[in-house]
């Protein structure tokens, strides 16, 4: 888990205000004027991660540099440096519907070989996460916004990320 830095969490009370303040927000899916492309990669749903972790620097729409920060990832080979943290604008798809989701306090971990979606961060935002029959489902306020599937014992979720000219 993260040893230093925010976890993107918040309270599940008053979902709308908490979600807007802590980084999980839905928006109508229209490309912002500064979006130059979308990139899609698999993120692993990780119940042991205390924060979202991403290896791609260009995914961040805003960021701040961290110093002397490391994160533990026991299932992924030990400790990794987290060099930045910031905001990522992602597109999550469920049931054929795209929803823009803003994740904050995401750690930039360039030496990790995958991106991690923190179950505890999502839970602290009021997201219901269901694992059943080899499938994963993320729901907020009764709206399913992400689905995933189990492969080799890990839950994989395809996430598109807006890459902007702000980076």
């Amino acid at each position: 888990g993260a040893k230093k830095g925010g976890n993107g969490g918040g309270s599940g009370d008053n979902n709308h205000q908490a979600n807007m303040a802590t980084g999980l927000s839905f928006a109508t899916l229209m490309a912002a004027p500064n979006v130059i492309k979308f990139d899609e990669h698999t993120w692993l749903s990780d119940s042991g991660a205390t924060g979202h972790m991403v290896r791609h620097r260009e995914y961040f729409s805003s960021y701040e540099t961290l110093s002397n920060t490391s994160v533990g990832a026991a299932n992924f080979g030990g400790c990794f440096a987290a060099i930045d943290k910031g905001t990522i604008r992602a597109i999550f798809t469920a049931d054929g519907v795209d929803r823009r989701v803003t994740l904050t306090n995401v750690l930039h971990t360039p030496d990790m070989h995958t991106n991690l979606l923190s179950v505890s961060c999502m839970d602290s935002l009021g997201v219901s996460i269901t694992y059943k029959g080899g499938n994963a489902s993320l729901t907020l306020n009764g709206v399913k916004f992400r689905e995933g599937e189990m492969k080799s014992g890990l839950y994989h979720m395809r996430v598109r990320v807006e890459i902007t000219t702000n980076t």
Side-chain angles (χ1 to χ4, degrees):
K3 294 182 181 174
K4 182 176 175 186
N7 69 0
S11 105
D13 304 332
N14 193 338
N15 283 332
H16 178 70
Q17 287 181 346
N19 295 338
M20 296 302 289
T22 58
L24 181 68
S25 59
F26 297 129
T28 303
L29 183 60
M30 297 185 320
N34 59 345
V35 173
I36 56 173
K37 70 176 182 172
F38 293 97
D39 196 13
E40 183 174 24
H41 282 279
T42 296
W43 291 39
L44 297 179
S45 174
D46 190 340
S47 62
T50 57
H52 307 303
M53 298 178 207
V54 172
R55 61 183 303 238
H56 304 283
R57 171 64 184 84
E58 66 272 15
Y59 283 9
F60 291 84
S61 59
S62 65
Y63 61 93
E64 64 181 79
T65 301
L66 300 173
S67 61
N68 298 321
T69 302
S70 65
V71 293
N75 293 333
F76 299 99
C79 286
F80 296 89
I83 61 174
D84 301 314
K85 78 173 179 177
T87 301
I88 291 179
R89 295 190 312 224
I91 308 299
F92 286 6
T93 304
D95 297 332
V97 178
D98 290 340
R99 291 180 178 81
R100 178 174 283 126
V101 176
T102 301
L103 301 171
T104 60
N105 294 318
V106 179
L107 297 171
H108 178 209
T109 52
D111 295 330
M112 288 190 74
H113 65 278
T114 191
N115 301 315
L116 301 179
L117 186 65
S118 169
V119 171
S120 63
C121 286
M122 300 304 277
D123 179 60
S124 69
L125 295 170
V127 173
S128 172
I129 304 163
T130 305
Y131 299 99
K132 184 176 180 180
N135 294 301
S137 176
L138 280 67
T139 306
L140 180 65
N141 297 329
V143 177
K144 185 177 0 173
F145 68 92
R146 184 66 242 153
E147 298 166 313
E149 63 182 332
M150 185 171 52
K151 298 178 186 175
S152 302
L154 299 172
Y155 285 92
H156 295 240
M157 301 200 179
R158 299 293 290 174
V159 177
R160 282 185 294 156
V161 175
E162 294 181 354
I163 298 176
T164 69
T165 57
N166 292 344
T167 55

